[in-house]
Amino acid sequence: ETEGNCAMAAQVMAQMARLMRPQKVGNKWHKAELSAKRVAKLRKEWILSGRDWEFETPPKSNAGGENWGGVRMEDLPRVWQKGHKHDKLKAVRQKAIAENMANMPRMIEEYRSKVRAFRRGDALS
């Protein structure tokens, strides 16, 4: 590239920085003059022309095993999740169901005998 093109590119990038982000004028915020969609198209054209896009933000990574506070995950205290009430009561429910199922043949026989007695008329006296 020639020296004139570099100077012009630098001037365009300076204008882009101003046009891409919202600005506070007095006590009011004014929206960016270039929409995010337009900025994305300009960025694509700029990169395809072989230039570097100055506004590229490096991706945030967790490469060092650190969280966003700069503390390693291993150094953080272990937090036990509270869980759900239905998970805690599941064993109690299963025990009650097992006990009721063990009594079920006796309960069915009692019910049937009451129904038979009612149909015979024994229960009316």
Side-chain angles (χ1 to χ4, degrees):
E1 291 182 6
T2 63
E3 203 171 292
N5 283 346
C6 288
M8 188 179 81
Q11 188 179 14
V12 167
M13 284 305 236
Q15 288 178 343
M16 287 282 295
R18 183 182 58 80
L19 298 174
M20 282 174 30
R21 58 179 69 102
Q23 296 177 348
K24 190 170 186 180
V25 179
N27 282 338
K28 285 189 170 184
W29 281 96
H30 293 269
K31 66 181 183 177
E33 293 183 40
L34 292 177
S35 68
K37 185 185 272 189
R38 183 67 185 142
V39 170
K41 286 181 181 179
L42 289 171
R43 176 185 175 274
K44 184 176 180 180
E45 292 173 10
W46 194 268
I47 291 173
L48 286 175
S49 69
R51 298 185 179 116
D52 290 332
W53 184 253
E54 292 180 11
F55 310 107
E56 197 72 50
T57 55
K60 295 179 181 177
S61 69
N62 198 9
E66 297 179 350
N67 66 2
W68 302 119
V71 179
R72 291 185 334 174
M73 297 300 278
E74 298 85 35
D75 295 340
L76 294 174
R78 178 79 172 123
V79 177
W80 295 99
Q81 297 298 317
K82 183 176 178 183
H84 298 279
K85 185 177 178 182
H86 64 88
D87 290 334
K88 295 176 190 173
L89 298 179
K90 188 172 186 175
V92 175
R93 260 192 345 270
Q94 293 296 329
K95 182 180 175 187
I97 289 170
E99 289 173 1
N100 289 336
M101 289 304 288
N103 295 332
M104 196 57 64
R106 181 185 52 79
M107 293 168 65
I108 290 172
E109 188 54 44
E110 288 176 5
Y111 171 76
R112 286 181 179 166
S113 64
K114 285 181 184 178
V115 169
R116 287 184 193 125
F118 178 76
R119 288 184 181 162
R120 285 192 308 261
D122 296 348
L124 296 176
S125 55

